[in-house]
Amino acid sequence: MTVAKTTCGGCGERVSFLTSEDVDFLPCPECGKEYCVTPNGASPVGEISDEKQERLDRLREWEEEML
């Protein structure tokens, strides 16, 4: 069983997700915003964190330099 807790970006409520799958897509019980739930936690579907976006930008820059 995977349990993930997070604060929903849609409604601001602290929510817990419980699933028996390795990866599952579940709605926030308060507002219905969809989350991807994995053993590493829960993240909103369709949103990229600032940290990941920065890594993607650096990777794109590196690829451009290599080409």
Side-chain angles (χ1 to χ4, degrees), residues 18-26 35-38:
L18 177 66
T19 182
S20 60
E21 303 294 324
D22 287 337
V23 176
D24 205 354
F25 294 91
L26 301 171
Y35 281 81
C36 176
V37 181
T38 69

Side-chain angles (χ1 to χ4, degrees), residues 2-31:
T2 298
V3 176
K5 295 182 180 184
T6 190
T7 301
C8 179
C11 64
E13 293 292 320
R14 185 80 176 148
V15 293
S16 298
F17 299 101
L18 177 66
T19 182
S20 60
E21 303 294 324
D22 287 337
V23 176
D24 205 354
F25 294 91
L26 301 171
C28 169
E30 299 296 323
C31 70

Side-chain angles (χ1 to χ4, degrees), residues 52-63:
K52 281 187 178 180
Q53 187 62 50
E54 288 176 17
R55 279 188 273 156
L56 289 172
D57 291 342
R58 285 195 308 266
L59 179 60
R60 281 190 201 103
E61 290 173 7
W62 179 82
E63 286 178 331

Side-chain angles (χ1 to χ4, degrees), residues 43-56 60:
S43 58
V45 172
E47 294 182 13
I48 299 175
S49 69
D50 290 339
E51 183 179 304
K52 281 187 178 180
Q53 187 62 50
E54 288 176 17
R55 279 188 273 156
L56 289 172
R60 281 190 201 103

